[in-house]
């Protein structure tokens, strides 16, 4: 088995033709051996898919051990973990940011160093915004130039949250430029987002993004060219990848005008091809990032773009019976959605609900959470299958516990089902979600970079978690001031928010039941497992009650 076979044999790797010829020969000449080996493989996969979840406690020690493991593998100079090739690993950094908010020593420094170095490196597009898939070196200097929707959505969200924690202006700028890139380059007219842009243009890797020394000097001058890491001989295969080799922008050189001039010139080049299929899970992550940036930065157009994308997914990526689908392309619907499609879209819709107060998003999220359990949950062994029980049976129904480039369905389900349970009081949803954490419990501290999203779901379980019920018109300034205290002014892990006008309780939203206003004013209730503190009407009082979380 392999993930890639070249057209011609290279570097000891057989060509695709040789692989096919070898398979055909084995099938003709050694059929019995092949079938016997196939049976053993299936048995091994079946055993792995049916392993029960751990019965050992889910404790703070797991987080502490994971944090120690990450510190040991951290690159103190360039940020990130391990050597080349180096991947951004936003889920791992999200876990570290949570630990930083909890005051764990060393966690914030690892996040800040990594995000700063990535923003300086060639992995970031200093002309047009957005991140490439990974760096071919340990310094984030030379990227593999392909740009993926899922990377940029996750990284934009991470930079937003890091800005809320550190208030570093640079993190806000990087988040904004990355989302502007998504809106400009990947957003389709219907509102969904394309999956990726190629590394190649005109058959040459990176041609769209790199520069000759002569062109740079002519366009922006020698001082700016050197500030952007360029040299007369080139810093990569005779051309120049733009990067900030000193880790930050020089104080004595204004780069913004130069970037605009380079962008205008680059726009006249032949751009890389775009993979224009729309995937539910990847678009869900884009919705999440847009909403969080919109409320944190006061940018309504980001939230509007998120609404449009969510409406598009719910209209076009569903069958008439309501079954969520995985993909869409130019009017053609794809196969039934996987566990991660349901979990990540439910999470994005919950974030839209808590931000806008539109109860329709809550109902859609709740429906997806129910389908997630009905179609994918393994009631016998715990965790979630990748494919639904309503699909044609496979040889083995797989589970994917690992968080690789995107959160696994297992981890995404663990997080969102806890969120829904905290809003609805549905203990069965929480048990199903936590079973997904138990499935990988013993691996979390040993291999934290493979389970970044699972560690974040564990952090939600360990808490402390808080539910905030806000009773008031979501459009009124007084209600918004209470919402902003929780959602827009700071990153508060493990808080869920429900907002609705007085006397209006969306069906199933138990958190809002029996929550009257005080003196007819928008009122907030801070609760833990539905046991609430005294209601408050002033943002300062709400912040004080949340201090146990943010301190």
């Amino acid at each position: 088995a392999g993930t890639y076979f070249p057209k011609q044999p290279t570097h000891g790797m057989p060509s695709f033709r040789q692989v096919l010829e070898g398979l055909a020969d084995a099938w003709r000449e050694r059929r019995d051996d092949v079938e016997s080996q196939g049976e053993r493989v299936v048995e091994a996969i079946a055993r792995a898919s049916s392993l029960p979840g751990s019965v050992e406690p889910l404790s703070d020690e797991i987080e502490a051990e994971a944090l120690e493991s990450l510190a040991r593998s951290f690159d103190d100079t360039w940020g990130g973990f391990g050597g080349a090739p180096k991947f951004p690993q936003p889920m791992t950094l999200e876990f570290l940011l949570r630990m930083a908010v909890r005051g764990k020593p060393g966690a914030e420094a690892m996040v800040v160093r990594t995000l700063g170095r990535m923003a300086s490196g060639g992995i970031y597009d200093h002309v047009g915004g957005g991140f490439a898939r990974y760096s071919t070196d340990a310094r984030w200097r030379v990227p593999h130039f392909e740009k993926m929707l899922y990377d940029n959505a996750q990284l934009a969200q991470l930079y937003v949250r890091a800005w809320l924690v550190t208030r570093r202006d640079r993190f806000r700028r990087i988040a904004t430029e990355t989302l502007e890139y998504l809106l400009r380059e990947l957003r389709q007219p219907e509102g969904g987002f394309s999956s990726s842009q190629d590394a190649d243009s005109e058959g040459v890797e990176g041609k769209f993004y790199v520069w000759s020394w002569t062109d740079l000097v002519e366009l922006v001058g020698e001082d700016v060219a050197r500030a952007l890491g360029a040299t007369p001989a080139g810093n990569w295969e005779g051309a120049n990848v733009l990067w900030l080799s000193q880790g930050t922008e020089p104080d004595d050189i204004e780069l913004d005008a130069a970037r605009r001039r380079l962008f205008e010139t680059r726009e006249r080049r032949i751009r890389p091809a775009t993979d224009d299929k729309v995937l539910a899970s990847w678009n869900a992550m884009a919705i999440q990032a847009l909403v969080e940036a919109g409320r944190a930065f006061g940018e309504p157009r980001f939230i509007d773009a998120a609404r449009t994308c969510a409406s598009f997914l719910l209209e076009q990526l569903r069958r008439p019976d309501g079954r969520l689908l995985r993909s869409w392309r130019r009017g053609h619907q794809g196969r039934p959605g996987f566990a991660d499609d349901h979990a990540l879209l439910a999470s994005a819709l919950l974030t839209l609900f808590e931000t806008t107060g539109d109860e329709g998003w809550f109902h859609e999220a709740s429906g997806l959470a129910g389908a997630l359990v009905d179609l994918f949950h393994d009631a016998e062994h715990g965790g979630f299958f990748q494919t639904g029980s309503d699909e044609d049976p496979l040889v083995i129904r797989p589970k994917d516990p690992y968080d690789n480039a995107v959160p696994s369905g297992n981890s995404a389900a663990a997080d969102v089902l806890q969120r829904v349970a905290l809003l609805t009081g549905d203990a069965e949803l929480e048990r199903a979600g936590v079973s997904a954490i138990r499935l990988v419990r013993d691996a979390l501290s040993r291999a934290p970079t493979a389970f970044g999203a699972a560690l974040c779901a564990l952090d939600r379980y360990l808490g402390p978690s808080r539910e905030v019920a806000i009773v008031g018109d979501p459009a009124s300034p007084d209600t918004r001031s209470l919402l902003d205290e929780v959602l827009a002014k700071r990153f508060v892990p493990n808080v869920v928010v429900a907002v609705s006008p007085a006397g209006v309780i969306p069906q199933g939203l138990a958190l809002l039941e029996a929550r009257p206003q005080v003196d007819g004013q928008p009122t907030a209730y801070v609760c833990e497992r539905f046991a609430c503190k005294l209601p408050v009407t002033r943002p300062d009082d709400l912040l004080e009650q949340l201090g146990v979380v943010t301190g």
Side-chain angles (χ1 to χ4, degrees), residues 62-272:
I62 299 172
E63 290 186 328
E65 291 171 2
L67 183 58
E68 290 177 6
S69 177
L70 291 171
R72 288 193 297 270
S73 64
F74 184 69
D75 182 340
D76 290 318
T77 302
W78 296 101
F81 306 93
K86 190 173 277 186
F87 290 78
Q89 301 190 37
M91 289 165 279
T92 303
L93 294 169
E94 161 80 10
F95 168 69
L96 287 176
L97 191 62
R98 286 167 169 264
M99 295 299 98
V101 171
R102 298 198 185 286
K104 303 298 182 182
E108 182 173 328
M110 285 190 276
V111 175
V112 169
R113 174 56 58 91
T114 302
L115 295 187
R117 287 298 194 181
M118 286 197 306
S120 296
I123 192 174
Y124 183 70
D125 182 354
H126 293 274
V127 173
F131 289 85
R133 178 70 193 93
Y134 62 87
S135 173
T136 61
D137 61 279
R139 297 183 291 171
W140 308 106
R141 183 174 65 89
V142 178
H144 175 63
F145 292 91
E146 186 179 23
K147 286 182 175 179
M148 310 299 298
L149 173 61
Y150 58 74
D151 282 319
N152 284 285
Q154 291 179 93
L155 287 168
Q157 176 184 274
L158 180 62
Y159 275 91
V160 171
R161 293 180 172 184
W163 176 77
L164 287 171
V165 172
T166 68
R167 296 293 166 169
R168 291 174 179 251
D169 290 340
R170 190 182 189 199
F171 290 170
R172 174 173 178 158
R173 179 174 66 81
I174 296 298
T176 300
E177 290 176 357
T178 299
L179 291 174
E180 296 286 9
Y181 156 72
L182 294 185
L183 294 174
R184 184 183 68 247
E185 300 283 345
L186 295 186
R187 191 185 191 198
Q188 298 187 13
E190 298 85 356
F193 290 87
S194 298
S195 295
S196 65
Q197 285 182 317
D198 286 354
D200 299 358
S201 57
E202 302 180 72
V204 179
E205 181 179 357
K207 185 174 182 178
F208 182 76
Y209 299 102
V210 300
W211 301 84
S212 71
W213 174 257
T214 301
D215 285 345
L216 285 173
V217 171
E218 181 179 330
L219 287 166
V220 297
E222 184 171 331
D223 289 345
V224 171
R226 292 193 183 278
L228 290 171
T231 68
N235 59 29
W236 177 68
E237 297 186 1
N240 286 290
V241 176
L242 303 186
W243 74 307
L244 302 172
S245 59
Q246 301 304 312
T248 187
E249 296 185 9
D251 293 332
D252 57 341
I253 295 178
E254 173 58 50
L255 293 182
D256 287 346
R259 288 193 184 101
R260 287 193 293 270
R261 194 172 300 117
L262 293 172
F263 178 81
E264 291 168 359
T265 300
R266 198 177 75 176
E267 282 294 279
R268 295 193 287 270
R269 296 178 177 178
I270 297 174
R271 63 180 59 253

Side-chain angles (χ1 to χ4, degrees), residues 1-7 13-16 19 87 134 146 404:
T3 57
Y4 171 74
F5 297 103
K7 186 175 181 179
M13 186 183 300
S15 69
F16 190 43
V19 171
F87 290 78
Y134 62 87
E146 186 179 23
N404 293 311

Side-chain angles (χ1 to χ4, degrees), residues 198-429:
D198 286 354
D200 299 358
S201 57
E202 302 180 72
V204 179
E205 181 179 357
K207 185 174 182 178
F208 182 76
Y209 299 102
V210 300
W211 301 84
S212 71
W213 174 257
T214 301
D215 285 345
L216 285 173
V217 171
E218 181 179 330
L219 287 166
V220 297
E222 184 171 331
D223 289 345
V224 171
R226 292 193 183 278
L228 290 171
T231 68
N235 59 29
W236 177 68
E237 297 186 1
N240 286 290
V241 176
L242 303 186
W243 74 307
L244 302 172
S245 59
Q246 301 304 312
T248 187
E249 296 185 9
D251 293 332
D252 57 341
I253 295 178
E254 173 58 50
L255 293 182
D256 287 346
R259 288 193 184 101
R260 287 193 293 270
R261 194 172 300 117
L262 293 172
F263 178 81
E264 291 168 359
T265 300
R266 198 177 75 176
E267 282 294 279
R268 295 193 287 270
R269 296 178 177 178
I270 297 174
R271 63 180 59 253
T274 297
D275 178 352
D276 62 356
K277 66 176 177 291
V278 176
L279 295 177
S281 58
W282 298 8
N283 273 254
M285 290 186 282
I287 293 169
Q288 184 91 26
L290 285 162
V291 175
E292 292 196 25
R295 69 194 190 194
F297 302 155
E299 286 284 358
R301 62 195 180 86
F302 285 164
I303 297 175
D304 290 342
R307 281 196 191 98
T308 302
C309 182
S311 296
F312 167 77
L313 296 180
L314 293 173
E315 291 168 4
Q316 299 298 327
L317 275 78
R318 287 204 290 201
R319 293 191 313 222
D321 62 3
R323 177 64 156 91
L324 182 67
L325 304 175
R326 181 160 182 81
S327 62
W328 177 95
R329 182 174 184 267
R330 300 184 184 181
H332 297 283
Q333 294 180 324
R335 57 161 293 122
F338 295 152
D340 62 316
D341 296 305
H342 288 72
L344 291 169
L345 184 54
S347 178
L349 298 181
L350 281 184
T351 303
L352 264 174
F353 164 66
E354 68 184 11
T355 304
T356 66
D358 183 343
E359 67 177 88
W361 301 124
F362 168 74
H363 292 309
E364 293 287 2
S366 182
L368 286 168
L372 180 61
V373 174
D374 293 342
L375 295 173
F376 301 94
H377 183 228
D378 183 350
E380 181 179 1
H381 300 292
F384 291 80
F385 294 108
Q386 187 175 357
T387 57
S389 58
D390 60 341
E391 297 186 56
D392 293 336
L394 303 175
V395 175
I396 292 297
R397 195 174 173 200
K399 289 179 183 175
D400 180 16
Y402 298 102
D403 301 317
N404 293 311
V406 298
S408 70
N410 207 63
S411 299
D415 187 72
V416 75
L417 291 179
Q418 290 184 82
R419 289 179 68 189
V420 177
L422 289 170
L423 293 168
T424 64
D426 189 332
E428 289 301 318
L429 287 182

Side-chain angles (χ1 to χ4, degrees), residues 475-503:
S476 78
D478 289 341
T479 303
R480 295 306 315 177
S481 66
L482 293 173
L483 278 170
D484 287 349
E485 206 62 55
V486 185
L487 299 176
K489 293 185 177 181
R490 56 192 47 82
F491 172 48
V492 188
N494 304 339
V495 168
V496 297
V497 177
V499 57
S500 189

